[in-house]
Amino acid sequence: MNIAIVGTGYVGLVSGTCFAEMGADVTCIDIDEGKILKLQSSEIPIYEPGLDSMVKRNVEAGRLKFATDLTSCIDNVEIVFSAVGTPPDEDGSADLKYVLDVARTFGQNIKKYTLLVTKSTVPVGTAMKIKAVIKEELLRRNSHIEFDVASNPEFLKEGAALKDFMSPDRVVIGVETERAKDIMNKLYKPFVLNNYRIIFRDIPSAEMTKYAANSMLATRISFMNDIANLCELVGADVDMVRRGIGADARIGTKFLYPGCGYGGSCFPKDVKALIHTGKEYGYDMRVIEAVEEVNEYQKNIVFEKILKVFDGNLEDKTIALWGLAFKPETDDMREAPALVIIDRLIKAGAKVNVYDPVAMDECKRRIGDVVVYCKDMYEAVIDADVLALITEWKQFRIPSWKVIKKAMRNVLVVDGRNIYDKRELEQEQIPLLSIGK
């Protein structure tokens, strides 16, 4: 099967590589010539465990190719996936400029029946806009070529994207015709041989499913952060509460971990977009609006704890931050809590030392040299007054507290992800501040 994927960002590159791994002939398209040149040499622009070797293997096998123009391959493909960005506008709505550009190019160039599948996260009703753009372009050409549109939202977790794609818990596909359904079924069947998990539905329902899923997960996180903040006030332990409610099979344990807020490319953007969609239709998404409000508050929680310890004065204080990425196993810092914390610390007059296993370059690209970039986790704590854990990378889980205690000027640990044992730190005579305890 020959397919093209427009957009070589996180979703497009992972999807294209995994389709190639299963034997499809894939051409990934991006207008960024520099990025394409690097990809042709198997240089990966994002960090995702295992992706670099999979890209290299499929490039060498000839199943994965890269180009800068969809027209170079559109005559030979059965499916075109649109995986371009949908950045949020100032009002929170998704910017569909790039999505509609792909539709326009598609309509201008197809010469036979071809299926256009939206992989990008787009608001409900986008497929109809895409279809209208394609029809408009075909009309200009005085052409009556048949085509279909479909929706195939992604549900990839950064840091585990290859596993999620190669062995999905479900594949959601919105279609309008049996012909499109048969094509998508043929494409995805190798991924679900052991368990048929392809869920076909109408296109608006598929588009809404993506937003509803991410907003539900974001809701669980903000709910637990709200509970954690109340636990601190009433003297309860949020870990005990979390285990108690997680033992209920109706609730379960996933996404019930309190911390310093969620970030990344999906949850913040999709929550905002769903709120905006509601307003477009005259409906207030009151629960989702509260989810966003709680998360924005929670991103400040680590800073507020540090500020309170020093009675509101952080002048000449050195704060060490462990972790910059919004979650482990990625270098993604979009909407990362670390950015909010760093900004507030710097404005309060503190010196900030940072260390992250993979996100240092990305942090420097975003904020420059306003912080001190350290070569390892222990260099970051030298002469520090506070150590704050922001991202729960595995290498931070069992640190040498004796080394840390000796290196720091004043000893205080603020655990923004609740991974440290209070009793263990008490034995080392290290004060610990957690979330919800």
Side-chain angles (χ1 to χ4, degrees):
M1 182 171 274
N2 292 324
I3 64 176
I5 298 183
V6 184
T8 60
Y10 190 86
V11 173
L13 185 56
V14 170
S15 301
T17 304
C18 289
F19 282 136
E21 182 76 2
M22 278 297 191
D25 288 314
V26 182
T27 303
C28 288
I29 312 293
D30 201 294
I31 60 173
D32 187 334
E33 293 183 8
K35 181 189 283 190
I36 291 299
L37 286 172
K38 288 182 179 179
L39 285 167
Q40 288 171 341
S41 301
S42 299
E43 291 183 44
I44 310 303
I46 60 174
Y47 178 82
E48 177 64 33
L51 181 60
D52 52 353
S53 58
M54 190 179 285
V55 168
K56 185 177 181 180
R57 178 167 62 250
N58 284 283
V59 168
E60 291 175 348
R63 291 187 299 268
L64 182 60
K65 305 176 187 69
F66 299 97
T68 57
D69 188 357
L70 177 59
T71 59
S72 66
C73 64
I74 198 167
D75 291 350
N76 301 316
V77 301
E78 298 169 68
I79 311 172
V80 174
F81 280 90
S82 176
V84 294
T86 54
D89 278 341
E90 290 183 8
D91 62 1
S93 63
D95 185 350
L96 299 178
K97 175 183 182 299
Y98 304 111
V99 171
L100 298 180
D101 282 347
V102 173
R104 198 164 288 111
T105 302
F106 181 91
Q108 291 168 350
N109 291 281
I110 56 171
K111 296 182 177 63
K112 59 179 177 52
Y113 173 88
T114 313
L115 173 62
L116 177 59
V117 182
T118 304
K119 199 76 174 160
S120 309
T121 300
V122 295
V124 177
T126 300
M128 296 303 101
K129 294 178 181 178
I130 290 171
K131 197 171 181 181
V133 167
I134 297 169
K135 285 183 175 179
E136 180 183 339
E137 294 300 331
L138 289 173
L139 187 62
R140 286 179 180 173
R141 295 168 55 191
N142 195 27
S143 176
H144 303 285
I145 299 169
E146 291 186 10
F147 71 94
D148 273 313
V149 296
S151 173
N152 177 211
E154 55 84 17
F155 298 95
L156 305 177
K157 296 187 295 291
E158 293 190 37
L162 298 185
K163 180 178 181 298
D164 286 349
F165 200 103
M166 298 300 286
S167 183
D169 53 11
R170 84 285 200 200
V171 177
V172 175
I173 302 172
V175 294
E176 291 182 317
T177 69
E178 285 298 316
R179 187 174 187 179
K181 181 179 179 180
D182 289 343
I183 292 171
M184 294 299 285
N185 194 46
K186 177 183 176 183
L187 177 65
Y188 273 109
K189 192 173 181 180
F191 294 90
V192 292
L193 286 177
N194 296 327
N195 187 4
Y196 196 82
R197 298 180 294 272
I198 302 178
I199 305 170
F200 285 101
R201 56 197 56 207
D202 60 86
I203 291 177
S205 296
E207 291 172 333
M208 179 60 85
T209 297
K210 170 64 176 180
Y211 282 104
N214 278 352
S215 295
M216 171 58 80
L217 297 176
T219 299
R220 287 171 69 94
I221 294 170
S222 281
F223 173 81
M224 282 310 301
N225 283 332
D226 233 6
I227 293 296
N229 295 339
L230 184 58
C231 281
E232 286 191 24
L233 297 174
V234 303
D237 185 325
V238 72
D239 267 352
M240 294 182 180
V241 175
R242 175 181 60 79
R243 290 170 187 159
I245 65 174
D248 187 329
R250 296 169 299 175
I251 298 172
T253 60
K254 293 181 178 180
F255 285 83
L256 288 185
Y257 293 88
C260 52
Y262 62 75
S265 62
C266 293
F267 288 4
K269 176 172 69 71
D270 294 354
V271 165
K272 285 182 174 66
L274 192 57
I275 291 170
H276 185 270
T277 297
K279 292 188 184 304
E280 281 188 317
Y281 286 84
Y283 185 78
D284 291 331
M285 302 293 291
R286 287 160 290 183
V287 172
I288 307 305
E289 287 174 1
V291 167
E292 182 182 37
E293 184 181 343
V294 169
N295 191 58
E296 291 307 306
Y297 174 87
Q298 204 68 16
K299 287 183 178 182
N300 292 281
I301 204 81
V302 168
F303 171 79
E304 295 294 343
K305 286 178 179 291
I306 296 170
L307 192 67
K308 186 176 180 180
V309 168
F310 294 103
D311 298 321
N313 183 13
L314 295 181
E315 290 286 344
D316 301 322
K317 298 294 188 252
T318 299
I319 314 301
L321 300 186
W322 280 0
L324 296 167
F326 87 94
K327 63 177 282 188
E329 301 300 332
T330 181
D331 62 350
D332 195 341
M333 288 190 66
R334 284 173 286 185
E335 302 283 347
L339 293 173
V340 175
I341 296 165
I342 289 170
D343 181 63
R344 295 206 64 186
L345 287 170
I346 295 297
K347 287 178 178 176
K351 174 188 173 186
V352 182
N353 296 344
V354 302
Y355 175 72
D356 186 286
V358 302
M360 302 279 269
D361 289 343
E362 177 63 13
C363 186
K364 194 166 189 176
R365 184 186 72 80
R366 285 178 173 272
I367 65 173
D369 292 318
V370 297
V371 298
V372 177
Y373 297 93
C374 302
K375 69 176 185 294
D376 60 44
M377 56 194 280
Y378 294 110
E379 183 184 26
V381 302
I382 295 174
D383 294 329
D385 298 286
V386 178
L387 164 60
L389 176 90
I390 309 303
T391 313
E392 64 277 31
W393 286 90
K394 289 178 182 177
Q395 70 183 73
F396 299 150
R397 293 184 183 180
I398 314 176
S400 172
W401 294 117
K402 287 183 171 57
V403 170
I404 291 166
K405 188 176 178 181
K406 186 176 180 181
M408 293 182 72
R409 178 167 55 193
N410 296 303
V411 185
L412 171 65
V413 175
V414 179
D415 184 358
R417 298 297 176 183
N418 283 5
I419 70 171
Y420 296 133
D421 188 320
K422 184 176 182 180
R423 289 172 298 176
E424 181 184 350
L425 270 73
E426 283 177 345
Q427 291 173 0
E428 298 289 345
Q429 296 182 315
I430 297 176
L432 172 67
L433 299 177
S434 302
I435 309 293
K437 299 185 182 184

